[in-house]
Amino acid sequence: MMTRDASDLAHRLGRQAEAVCREYLSSGRREGRYWMVGDVRNTPGRSMFVRLIGPESGKGAAGKWADAATGEHGDLLDVIRESCGLVDFRDVADEARTFLSLPRPEPEPDRQRRPTPAPTGSSEAARRLFAMSQPITGTVAEAYLRKRGITNLHGAGSLRFHPRCYYRPDEHSPTETWPAMIASVTDLDGRITGAHRTWLSPDGDGKAPIDTPRRAMGDLLGHAVRFGVAHDVIAAGEGIETILSLRCVLPHMPMVAALSAAHLAAILFPAALRRLYIVRDDDPAGDGARDSLIERANGAGIEAIVLSPVLGDFNEDLRTFGIDALRAAVHQQLALEDVARFLALAA
């Protein structure tokens, strides 16, 4: 049913290909038999072309498009989906019918209805985003981390990659898509309560050139991005890259990234925890989180030890001084029994 519906809508849109392009690819313009634009997300440029004249189906059909820069191709339903930032086919089809002034189909029986969209920013939306993402190995996200000096991703199953993650600067701006590193935020039982997105440049050389390349969603308070299984000793810090840098020299110590100083101060302690390493960022917010955690840990009978960077954070230390210097600096700050337990294994 969906396939026939999609085919019919695509044919109808193809008959009005130029009007569709003017509506959804307004950054482009007509050149002969084609509409030229930067990409399917309506970026200015000339690498994507949409055929405006041609048969209804088959090779050379009107409405078919291709992007010479990326190799992407598709029909005008894809244009509507990407330019409007839609996910579900039902929403794409509704938008197409609105453009074509077609009536909407009768509602499907309850037993055949698809799951309702998750509320934006909710824990369910975070779970769906993480499920749609792929393992990080061999992706732009792995390249990005390597560029930051992070080469050991042992036990990093909480990190995934999405090649085209939606980004919207604000409610009045169009939706964009960028590659993104996706991190799952979980509670003490391992249940996903939220997700963190780091949008990246397509080559993995750095973060995407957008105003807020990092955003979190879902239920975050008390929870964290987790690396390794917590036992009696864990290390807790703010940023994912800070924690991953420390794991380059302590790969077997369980660690958590709380994503901000405020959330670091509020992390929940595992029942078996006896020693907490507080991975401090060298700024006033980091000092506040440190002091709050020390007070909470002491009140719970947990030993608190602060790990301090030489510069602003441990990723900056790793990139500036190298892994051997980072290992030596961390060595001096660990409890003696943890040097043999964790640091020696990384040497």
Side-chain angles (χ1 to χ4, degrees):
M1 175 69 177
M2 184 180 295
T3 302
R4 292 197 300 271
D5 191 26
S7 178
D8 177 64
L9 287 173
H11 291 162
R12 289 174 181 268
L13 292 169
R15 295 172 199 148
Q16 302 183 42
E18 184 171 350
V20 175
C21 291
R22 290 189 182 279
E23 176 70 19
Y24 298 100
L25 298 176
S26 56
S27 296
R29 65 178 183 178
R30 179 168 183 163
E31 295 189 17
R33 301 166 62 89
Y34 301 97
W35 188 268
M36 308 295 292
V37 71
D39 59 34
V40 71
R41 290 162 288 282
N42 197 26
T43 304
R46 294 173 51 84
S47 65
M48 174 180 158
F49 57 92
V50 184
R51 187 178 292 275
L52 301 179
I53 300 172
E56 189 171 276
S57 61
K59 186 176 181 179
K64 295 291 186 180
W65 60 269
D67 190 326
T70 65
E72 294 177 288
H73 57 87
D75 58 28
L76 293 174
L77 285 173
D78 298 315
V79 167
I80 290 175
R81 182 188 72 234
E82 296 295 336
S83 64
C84 294
L86 303 174
V87 176
D88 292 336
F89 173 77
R90 179 181 295 173
D91 297 331
V92 177
D94 285 346
E95 177 66 23
R97 291 190 190 96
T98 298
F99 175 83
L100 294 166
S101 300
L102 295 174
R104 296 192 179 189
E106 291 298 319
E108 299 174 2
D110 287 345
R111 59 186 173 83
Q112 294 180 357
R113 285 182 181 167
R114 299 177 66 183
T116 57
T120 301
S122 66
S123 294
E124 179 59 26
R127 285 188 282 270
R128 293 186 188 185
L129 175 62
F130 192 72
M132 291 188 326
S133 303
Q134 64 191 67
I136 198 172
T137 304
T139 68
V140 169
E142 183 183 41
Y144 165 75
L145 293 174
R146 290 186 178 278
K147 190 77 174 180
R148 306 281 296 182
I150 299 166
T151 57
N152 187 339
L153 292 177
H154 167 76
S158 57
L159 299 181
R160 289 191 181 180
F161 173 69
H162 196 298
R164 296 169 66 182
C165 185
Y166 290 132
Y167 171 81
R168 195 175 185 186
D170 55 63
E171 61 180 343
H172 304 294
S173 302
T175 299
E176 307 170 17
T177 59
W178 293 90
M181 180 172 68
I182 310 297
S184 63
V185 177
T186 58
D187 62 17
L188 292 175
D189 295 323
R191 185 174 62 92
I192 295 178
T193 65
H196 183 270
R197 297 152 291 178
T198 304
W199 283 278
L200 307 172
S201 63
D203 59 5
D205 195 53
K207 298 181 185 68
I210 53 181
D211 290 339
T212 52
R214 290 174 170 155
R215 286 183 183 174
M217 60 193 295
D219 181 9
L220 308 178
L221 189 63
H223 311 315
V225 180
R226 302 180 190 277
F227 302 94
V229 179
H231 295 295
D232 57 324
V233 176
I234 67 168
E238 294 182 37
I240 293 171
E241 291 157 38
T242 294
I243 290 299
L244 290 176
S245 299
L246 192 59
R247 279 180 64 80
C248 287
V249 298
L250 299 170
H252 299 286
M253 180 181 288
M255 299 187 188
V256 300
L259 304 178
S260 73
H263 286 106
L264 175 59
I267 60 166
L268 299 176
F269 300 143
L273 185 62
R274 296 294 175 265
R275 183 179 298 118
L276 171 68
Y277 284 100
I278 302 170
V279 185
R280 170 177 164 266
D281 282 3
D282 190 12
D283 55 34
D287 292 343
R290 173 202 60 198
D291 296 343
S292 178
L293 268 182
I294 289 175
E295 182 178 354
R296 288 183 57 221
N298 289 341
I302 297 169
E303 180 185 9
I305 298 177
V306 177
L307 298 180
S308 297
V310 176
L311 301 175
D313 59 49
F314 280 107
N315 186 246
E316 191 175 355
D317 284 6
L318 175 61
R319 290 183 288 122
T320 302
F321 305 119
I323 193 167
D324 290 336
L326 178 60
R327 181 179 291 113
V330 170
H331 185 175
Q332 297 175 8
Q333 301 181 65
L334 291 178
L336 183 61
E337 56 266 43
D338 290 334
V339 171
R341 181 178 176 184
F342 298 111
L343 192 67
L345 294 173

